[in-house]
């Protein structure tokens, strides 16, 4: 018998990110020659714009290949400050900004910095898959605030108020939302700001999809609509989605100097600075020409309209029109209880498995986002793939009896 290493308690119940897992499975099958339509990944299909790549090549040629300050190079922090001023009218100084290895590490750092065991974090459902895990890894307790499709997944402010206890340390907001594409109204953002200031909790505002909005409005968040709540807000953002830079791994935090300092300490003892070359590229992305952003947004809008139309025409599928990001989250629960041969479709996981095995469409089951009635399609892919995906989806549902 070989010796079995004992793992820490904290990792025993930890599940791998389901979005990354489905995407990896789809890519593996594709590499083996299986004809998969991959609508799982939350990853723009566009290439990183040329001027951003050029900045990285220049950095590499200039030998910009050493450690940088842990919290990022001044040039990137200035570009972040400029973006927050430009898009939100918010002013942040150098000591209130830090860069990390993706928005995901920003969220991880924040949770490690602010949560003691037993502290509660309110997370609206459906939520992005990693929020509960990141909170739990820091010893925190996620408290789930259910949001419903018939109100466009808006916040139930009364239910939110009822959930607040003296243990409430933070609320995570993600607008536009992954997976629903919902955008919170200014009124709701103000109401959250009021609750945060009255009850003394932080608002972790994950603005990673802020530039991908179809409602004609620019980015906003609790801090921008309610200046009195700015001190309570921790802004999380990054370049992955806006500039098609998922692999570069640059995210950033803007907020209270106290939290930024704590996060910097944690990062100094874990990963040190984010990649030096990627920092130069991210600075170029944020401060360079922004026409690439509107070109990609227009393409996402065309795809959204297409997929929402197609889903709307399928019997038993109900879909709220997304106002941003690049996901649709249709309610498919009317198909639960149906069969394919002997296989019972008893929930979103079974349906997603069926779609992958039989129709060769990769999507993410709603249960991964905390609501089993739905599945998530990403439309960050080309129109031909989307058309093929919707044809297969419609055909596969018809075969269920
Ligand atoms: N927040 C949300 C809501 C996301 O969908 C993602 C996607 N990965 C992230 C944060 C983190 O992105 P990244 O680490 O690539 O910056
Ligand atoms: N955020 C993307 C998604 O939801 C990428 C995968 C991940 O980091 O979870 O698909």
């Amino acid at each position: 018998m070989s010796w079995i290493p004992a793992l820490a308690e904290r990792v025993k119940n930890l599940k791998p990110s389901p979005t990354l897992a489905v995407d990896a499975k789809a890519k593996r099958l594709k590499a083996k020659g299986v004809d998969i339509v991959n609508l799982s990944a939350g990853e723009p299909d566009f290439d990183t714009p040329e001027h951003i790549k050029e900045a990285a090549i220049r950095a590499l040629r200039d030998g910009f290949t050493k450690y940088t300050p842990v919290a990022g190079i001044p040039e990137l922090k200035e570009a972040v400050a400029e973006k927050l001023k430009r898009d939100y009218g918010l002013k942040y100084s150098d000591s209130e900004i830090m860069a990390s290895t993706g928005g995901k590490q920003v969220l991880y750092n924040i949770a490690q910095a602010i949560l003691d065991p037993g502290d509660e974090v309110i997370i609206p459902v459906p939520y992005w898959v990693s929020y509960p895990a990141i909170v739990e890894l820091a010893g925190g307790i996620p408290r789930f605030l259910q949001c419903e499709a018939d109100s466009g997944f808006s916040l139930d402010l009364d239910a939110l108020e009822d959930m607040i206890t003296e243990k409430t340390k933070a609320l995570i907001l993600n607008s536009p939302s992954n997976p629903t594409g919902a955008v919170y109204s200014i009124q709701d953002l103000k109401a959250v700001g009021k609750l945060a200031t009255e009850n003394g909790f932080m608002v972790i505002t994950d603005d990673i999809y802020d530039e991908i909005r179809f409602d004609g409005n620019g980015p906003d968040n609790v801090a921008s609509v309610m200046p009195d709540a700015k001190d309570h807000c921790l802004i999380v953002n990054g370049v992955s989605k806006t500039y098609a830079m998922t692999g570069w791994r640059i995210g950033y935090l803007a907020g209270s100097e106290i939290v930024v300092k704590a996060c910097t300490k944690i990062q100094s003892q874990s990963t040190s600075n984010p990649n030096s070359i990627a920092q130069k590229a991210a600075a170029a992305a944020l401060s360079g020409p922004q026409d690439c952003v509107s070109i990609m947004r227009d393409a996402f809008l065309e795809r959204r309209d297409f997929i929402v139309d197609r889903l709307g025409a399928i019997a038993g599928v109900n879909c709220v029109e997304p106002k941003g990001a690049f996901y649709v989250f249709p309610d498919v629960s009317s198909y639960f209880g149906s069969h394919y041969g002997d296989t019972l479709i008893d929930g979103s996981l079974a349906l997603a498995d069926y779609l992958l095995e039989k129709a060769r469409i990769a999507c993410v089951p709603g249960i991964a986002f905390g609501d089993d009635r739905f599945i998530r399609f990403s439309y960050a892919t080309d129109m031909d793939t989307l058309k093929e995906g919707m044809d297969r989806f419609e055909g596969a549902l018809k075969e269920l009896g």
Side-chain angles (χ1 to χ4, degrees):
M1 253 289 266
S2 56
W3 180 75
I4 300 168
L7 294 176
E9 276 309 316
R10 86 177 70 84
V11 93
K12 285 186 185 155
N13 294 323
L14 181 67
K15 304 219 170 45
S17 161
T19 40
L20 293 178
V22 177
D23 186 45
K25 186 169 176 188
K27 283 178 176 155
R28 253 191 334 265
L29 287 167
K30 210 163 190 165
K32 277 200 212 150
V34 182
D35 168 31
I36 292 282
V37 171
N38 188 0
L39 304 182
S40 71
E43 172 163 73
D45 55 321
F46 302 105
D47 198 3
T48 303
E50 215 46 47
H51 69 280
I52 300 174
K53 287 190 192 170
E54 280 305 324
I57 293 165
R58 230 174 11 253
L60 200 50
R61 292 235 164 85
D62 290 349
F64 196 72
T65 54
K66 310 287 190 214
Y67 292 131
T68 76
V70 170
I73 54 175
E75 184 183 334
L76 174 55
K77 295 209 268 175
E78 275 159 29
V80 169
E82 195 185 295
K83 181 227 155 54
L84 294 174
K85 185 93 201 28
R86 177 174 75 223
D87 289 348
Y88 293 86
L90 291 169
K91 262 186 81 179
Y92 286 94
S93 64
D94 180 82
S95 59
E96 293 171 317
I97 295 171
M98 76 177 284
S100 299
T101 303
K104 211 178 237 181
Q105 192 191 15
V106 177
L107 289 159
Y108 191 85
N109 284 341
I110 291 172
Q112 294 292 324
I114 68 170
L115 297 178
D116 277 320
D119 283 347
E120 297 176 4
V121 178
I122 300 176
I123 302 177
V125 181
Y127 48 72
W128 178 48
V129 295
S130 293
Y131 295 150
I134 287 172
V135 167
E136 281 168 353
L137 279 169
I141 301 172
R143 292 282 180 226
F144 296 112
L145 173 66
Q146 187 63 44
C147 303
E148 291 296 340
D150 54 17
S151 69
F153 296 107
S154 63
L155 296 170
D156 179 341
L157 293 167
D158 293 332
L160 170 59
E161 195 164 0
D162 287 347
M163 287 179 85
I164 298 168
T165 70
E166 69 271 21
K167 286 274 183 195
T168 305
K169 205 66 188 273
L171 160 72
I172 306 182
L173 283 191
N174 176 218
S175 175
S177 148
N178 175 5
T180 65
V183 170
Y184 298 129
S185 68
I186 291 178
Q187 218 177 339
D188 285 1
L189 293 176
K190 281 186 178 163
V192 167
K194 188 162 175 282
L195 287 173
T197 50
E198 281 171 4
N199 295 281
F201 60 81
M202 284 174 254
V203 179
I204 300 169
T205 164
D206 181 347
D207 302 339
I208 198 112
Y209 297 100
D210 65 346
E211 301 267 14
I212 309 172
R213 278 178 74 151
F214 313 125
D215 58 357
N217 296 322
D220 55 16
N221 60 22
V222 170
S224 71
V225 302
M226 192 176 166
D228 283 355
K230 182 178 173 234
D231 290 350
H232 291 254
C233 291
L234 299 170
I235 295 179
V236 180
N237 207 328
V239 294
S240 286
K241 317 290 175 174
T242 306
Y243 301 99
M245 292 178 71
T246 45
W248 297 75
R249 312 304 306 128
I250 296 293
Y252 54 86
L253 161 65
S256 143
E257 189 178 329
I258 293 167
V259 178
V260 168
K261 253 194 190 151
C263 289
T264 307
K265 253 196 308 194
I266 291 163
Q267 192 161 292
S268 80
Q269 296 287 22
S270 53
T271 57
S272 307
N273 61 273
N275 179 293
S276 59
I277 299 154
Q279 286 190 64
K280 284 280 191 182
L286 290 166
S287 59
Q290 299 296 304
D291 44 330
C292 54
V293 176
S294 45
I295 291 169
M296 289 190 266
R297 184 193 306 123
D298 289 348
F300 289 133
L301 175 58
E302 190 190 349
R303 296 162 182 190
R304 181 208 64 175
D305 288 346
F306 171 77
I307 198 165
V308 167
D309 260 16
R310 286 295 304 265
L311 290 170
I314 302 175
V317 173
N318 292 305
C319 179
V320 174
E321 183 183 75
K323 300 280 183 284
F326 36 62
Y327 309 101
V328 266
F329 202 54
D331 184 331
V332 287
S333 58
S334 70
Y335 286 89
F336 298 168
S338 62
H339 288 80
Y340 180 76
D342 286 341
T343 311
L344 170 68
I345 305 296
D346 60 356
S348 64
L349 206 55
L351 186 65
D353 277 351
Y354 164 71
L355 291 172
L356 188 63
E357 297 304 321
K358 300 291 177 218
R360 302 291 184 208
I361 313 165
C363 64
V364 186
I367 191 132
F369 306 93
D371 201 322
D372 197 35
R373 294 170 289 179
F374 301 83
I375 54 173
R376 188 192 80 175
F377 291 120
S378 161
Y379 52 87
T381 189
D382 62 273
M383 281 296 246
D384 288 343
T385 306
L386 277 184
K387 280 184 186 138
E388 178 64 23
M390 287 303 102
D391 289 347
R392 290 188 192 189
F393 181 55
E394 193 167 3
L397 290 183
K398 278 191 185 135
E399 285 191 38
L400 291 175

